[in-house]
Amino acid sequence: MIDPKPPGIPLSMAHLPTVGGLAVPWITARTGDGRHLFGAVDADRKDQALLRRLCGVCGRRHDERLVLLMRLSDLPRQSTAEPALHPTCTAYTIAAYPMVGGRLDHYRTTPQVLDSTMIPPADSPARRGAPAEPWFAVWLRGYTVITDHGALAASYAGSTPLRIRPINLTAPFSA
Ligand SMILES: [Zn+2]
């Protein structure tokens, strides 16, 4: 079930475009005519975020603490291709986007048309129809950029996370 009313947009995200009352993350892919493809990622912005330590949601530099949103299957590798987020941006993302919030029982089944500059969302194509995985918030002071299967990724191998918390749907995300 999706909340009928979108969550309030934090002041730190007020510069982002909105669609249907939801702030559009900075790394969200866009079509040539300017439409946002929710869930699909702009490959160039993703790499910029990883390399320059920018937040994937608001596009601004990280502060002292940052969060990686990770699927259960990503945890053993201690790395993810998704850029890190500010804690505030993490809280908004969990409230605003049902996939990370785990509110959908299954991934979407509608494919999106993407070009070569776009990275398909986690829900396609191999995972289409598969049960949704649990997500975790991994709190860090920093990460190293590695190359994983030819793509840049954020890794915390060799350092101890501040904490790893399952994303809890019944309690608000808090720092
Ligand atoms: Zn941010």
Side-chain angles (χ1 to χ4, degrees):
M1 199 173 87
I2 294 171
D3 291 338
K5 199 163 140 270
I9 296 173
L11 200 58
S12 59
M13 297 171 60
H15 61 293
L16 296 172
T18 60
V19 172
L22 293 175
V24 181
W26 184 70
I27 59 165
T28 298
R30 248 154 261 224
T31 60
D33 58 2
R35 284 176 300 121
H36 302 282
L37 296 172
F38 278 103
V41 167
D42 180 300
D44 181 55
R45 286 192 171 183
K46 179 190 88 78
D47 286 353
Q48 275 190 62
L50 285 166
L51 291 169
R52 296 168 55 202
R53 270 69 180 171
L54 306 178
C55 171
V57 169
C58 71
R60 292 179 170 161
R61 285 190 70 85
H62 285 298
D63 304 318
E64 198 175 299
R65 293 184 307 166
L66 45 92
V67 178
L68 291 176
L69 288 177
M70 302 194 33
R71 294 172 199 88
L72 179 61
S73 58
D74 292 329
L75 288 178
R77 297 197 331 213
Q78 298 179 291
S79 70
T80 172
E82 311 271 336
L85 310 179
H86 290 112
T88 309
C89 295
T90 304
Y92 179 81
T93 298
I94 291 169
Y97 297 103
M99 180 50 58
V100 173
R103 290 178 207 158
L104 297 182
D105 290 335
H106 290 81
Y107 291 101
R108 284 179 305 191
T109 55
T110 312
Q112 292 172 315
V113 179
L114 304 176
D115 68 29
S116 62
T117 68
M118 302 170 183
I119 296 170
D123 57 354
S124 73
R127 301 186 187 203
R128 219 172 278 151
E133 273 188 85
W135 287 75
F136 293 81
V138 179
W139 289 73
L140 303 165
R141 291 199 193 282
Y143 59 86
T144 55
V145 179
I146 61 166
T147 304
D148 185 24
H149 295 92
L152 296 181
S155 167
Y156 58 93
S159 66
T160 307
L162 299 170
R163 61 187 118 155
I164 300 178
R165 291 272 170 81
I167 291 172
N168 186 339
L169 303 180
T170 58
F173 180 86
S174 65

